[in-house]
């Protein structure tokens, strides 16, 4: 086997910028703030209409400034910093106009609820000359960074199969606003995997998709999806999700798998199982050796999707802003292409399958 140098390290700026967080919901509590503390990113201010929630987090994390709304947060934020917009997708277009022209912004995914909202967000970012990225943080999970490093060095040869499979019991009641959304599973969850596949495989030629409800969460527009991406006759790319596996952990699954001409990688996304407690991530790989039976080995991981991946999205934005990197992987422009893929998935879902003909 060739000697591989596997990296799990996210991009980090030379000088971290102060962060103003707009929103104090569960994702900020569970991921943003723990990630920024771990990375040493300074948080200067936090705001939320539910100001008591913002105050509680400010007290826990030593944040000096607490505000009630985005306009106040902008007035009281440092002159040069990053605005971390962590609000529900329907509120992004309400917050963005308050952001100063030319500012640096990280926008929580998804980029709006549909392609029209995504286009409006992209247009506003262009007009205001914002350095803007979208928080597609799964790209920066330690196990995903390890897989990307492995594959980039030819560790498993040419990839001909990429699969995401999620069979879990997700506590959707933690996010009550989801019950009012006309679209749910794909733009709020499977979008991570569509974006991830784009980051590894590029843009697909077409998509087939079906997203459906689940009886355990009847108020949600959908909770289970099957998505097939078309990359031509020699590459299979599938996303399968079911969030209603209420039968215990024994047969729950949450993994990303790559198969190539020389080997394979399978890594577990442990946070989705028994969420929010989660189970440990895992990383296994198999390298084919001539004349030898296939053997799987394990790689020790340095962190997990939550909270470590959130270091990567913010870190890459800071690196790009300071000029230490000329790449912004989750830029608004790139994120818009993921939203185009989501929109295509819904067109496929709405058009239905090919009818079966019975003689």
């Amino acid at each position: 086997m060739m000697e591989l140098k596997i990296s799990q390290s996210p991009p980090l700026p030379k000088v971290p910028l102060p962060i103003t967080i707009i929103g104090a919901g569960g994702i900020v509590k569970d991921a943003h703030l723990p990630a920024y503390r771990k990375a040493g990113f300074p948080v200067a201010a936090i705001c939320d209409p539910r100001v008591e929630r913002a105050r509680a987090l400010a007290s826990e994390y030593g944040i000096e400034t607490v505000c009630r709304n985005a306009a106040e947060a902008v007035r009281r934020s440092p002159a040069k910093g990053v605005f971390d917009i962590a609000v529900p997708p329907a509120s992004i277009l309400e917050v963005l106009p308050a952001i100063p022209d030319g500012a640096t912004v990280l926008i929580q995914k998804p980029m709006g609820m549909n392609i029209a909202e995504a286009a409006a967000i992209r247009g506003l970012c262009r007009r205001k000359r914002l350095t803007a990225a979208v928080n597609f943080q799964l790209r920066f999970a330690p196990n995903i960074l390890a897989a990307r490093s492995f594959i980039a060095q030819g560790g498993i040869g040419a990839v001909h199969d990429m699969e995401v499979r999620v069979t879990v019991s997700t506590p959707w009641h933690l996010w009550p606003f989801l019950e009012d959304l006309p679209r749910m599973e794909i733009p709020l969850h499977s979008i991570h995997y569509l974006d991830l596949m784009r980051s590894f495989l590029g843009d697909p030629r077409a998509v087939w998709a079906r997203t459906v409800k689940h009886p355990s969460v009847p108020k949600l527009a959908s909770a289970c999806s099957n998505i097939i991406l078309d990359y031509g006759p020699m590459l299979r790319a599938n996303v399968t999700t079911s969030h209603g596996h209420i039968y215990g952990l024994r047969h729950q699954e949450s993994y990303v798998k790559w198969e190539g001409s020389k080997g394979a990688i399978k890594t577990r996304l442990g946070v989705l199982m028994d969420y929010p407690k989660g189970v440990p991530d895992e990383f296994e790989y198999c390298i084919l050796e001539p004349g030898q039976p296939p053997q799987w080995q394990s790689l020790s991981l340095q962190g997990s999707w939550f909270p470590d991946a959130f270091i990567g999205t913010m870190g890459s934005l800071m690196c790009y802003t300071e000029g230490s990197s000329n790449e912004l992987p989750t830029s608004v422009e790139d994120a818009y292409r993921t939203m185009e893929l989501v929109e295509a998935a819904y067109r496929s879902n709405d058009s239905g399958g090919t009818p079966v003909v019975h003689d």
Side-chain angles (χ1 to χ4, degrees):
M1 174 182 169
M2 70 175 71
E3 188 69 25
L4 301 177
K5 296 181 179 179
I6 306 303
S7 173
Q8 303 177 37
S9 301
L12 294 173
K14 296 177 181 178
V15 181
L17 298 172
I19 300 167
T20 296
I21 302 179
I22 299 175
I27 195 65
V28 171
K29 180 179 183 294
D30 295 337
H32 290 238
L33 286 171
Y36 301 159
R37 171 181 280 176
K38 186 172 184 178
F41 296 164
V43 179
I46 187 169
C47 82
D48 197 288
R50 302 157 298 181
V51 70
E52 291 306 318
R53 294 188 66 171
R55 287 198 180 110
L57 291 177
S59 176
E60 182 178 354
Y61 285 90
I63 303 169
E64 292 186 1
T65 303
V66 177
C67 307
R68 292 182 177 273
N69 54 57
E72 181 186 357
V74 167
R75 289 196 304 271
R76 301 178 65 186
S77 65
K80 292 185 178 180
V82 180
F83 292 97
D84 185 2
I85 300 177
V87 299
S91 300
I92 294 172
L93 283 169
E94 298 174 8
V95 171
L96 270 179
I99 303 300
D101 291 358
T104 299
V105 183
L106 182 63
I107 303 169
Q108 184 60 30
K109 68 83 194 166
M111 191 176 162
M113 284 306 300
N114 51 53
I115 199 64
E117 291 183 11
I121 291 168
R122 182 181 64 171
L124 192 54
C125 289
R126 286 175 174 176
R127 289 192 299 274
K128 293 176 72 65
R129 306 182 309 282
L130 301 178
T131 300
V134 176
N135 205 347
F136 283 123
Q137 77 288 145
L138 181 56
R139 295 189 185 202
F140 295 99
N143 51 1
I144 299 301
L145 290 174
R148 196 180 303 279
S149 178
F150 213 104
I151 292 169
Q153 296 173 72
I156 63 171
V159 175
H160 57 73
D161 192 299
M162 183 172 175
E163 177 184 22
V164 178
R165 184 173 184 85
V166 173
T167 306
V168 297
S169 179
T170 301
W172 294 117
H173 64 275
L174 296 177
W175 307 279
F177 75 92
L178 298 177
E179 295 182 358
D180 299 324
L181 300 180
R183 294 178 173 184
M184 213 296 292
E185 203 284 326
I186 296 178
L188 271 297
H189 189 84
S190 282
I191 190 171
H192 280 299
Y193 314 129
L194 298 179
D195 183 73
L196 188 68
M197 287 190 167
R198 285 191 57 250
S199 76
F200 275 91
L201 307 176
D203 290 312
R205 306 189 305 188
V207 59
W208 293 271
R210 183 64 172 151
T211 187
V212 300
K213 298 171 74 70
H214 192 277
S216 67
V217 280
K219 293 183 180 180
L220 296 182
S222 62
C224 310
S225 301
N226 289 314
I227 306 170
I228 302 172
L229 304 183
D230 180 6
Y231 285 99
M234 292 298 293
L235 176 56
R236 186 185 81 112
N238 285 353
V239 174
T240 303
T241 62
S242 174
H243 295 271
H245 189 89
I246 57 177
Y247 316 105
L249 282 172
R250 179 180 176 86
H251 291 294
Q252 289 191 19
E253 297 177 287
S254 176
Y255 67 77
V256 185
K257 177 172 63 67
W258 299 260
E259 296 183 7
S261 56
K262 298 179 181 179
I265 297 170
K266 185 176 182 180
T267 186
R268 184 167 71 184
L269 305 173
V271 69
L272 301 180
M273 302 170 66
D274 196 22
Y275 185 90
K277 180 181 177 181
V279 303
D281 286 354
E282 293 179 348
F283 188 103
E284 297 178 283
Y285 63 95
C286 174
I287 305 300
L288 299 177
E289 300 287 354
Q292 300 294 324
Q295 293 186 356
W296 285 86
Q297 301 180 65
S298 296
L299 176 71
S300 178
L301 293 170
Q302 303 163 9
S304 60
W305 182 355
F306 281 43
D308 298 82
F310 290 75
I311 297 173
T313 38
M314 180 59 78
S316 66
L317 177 59
M318 289 185 182
C319 288
Y320 183 80
T321 300
E322 74 179 9
S324 60
S325 172
N326 58 8
E327 295 184 1
L328 185 54
T330 63
S331 70
V332 160
E333 299 296 333
D334 186 83
Y336 185 79
R337 298 184 74 85
T338 295
M339 293 300 295
E340 288 178 319
L341 179 53
V342 169
E343 194 69 23
Y346 272 97
R347 289 200 303 272
S348 175
N349 179 75
D350 295 342
S351 65
T354 302
V356 179
V357 176
H358 299 282
D359 290 334

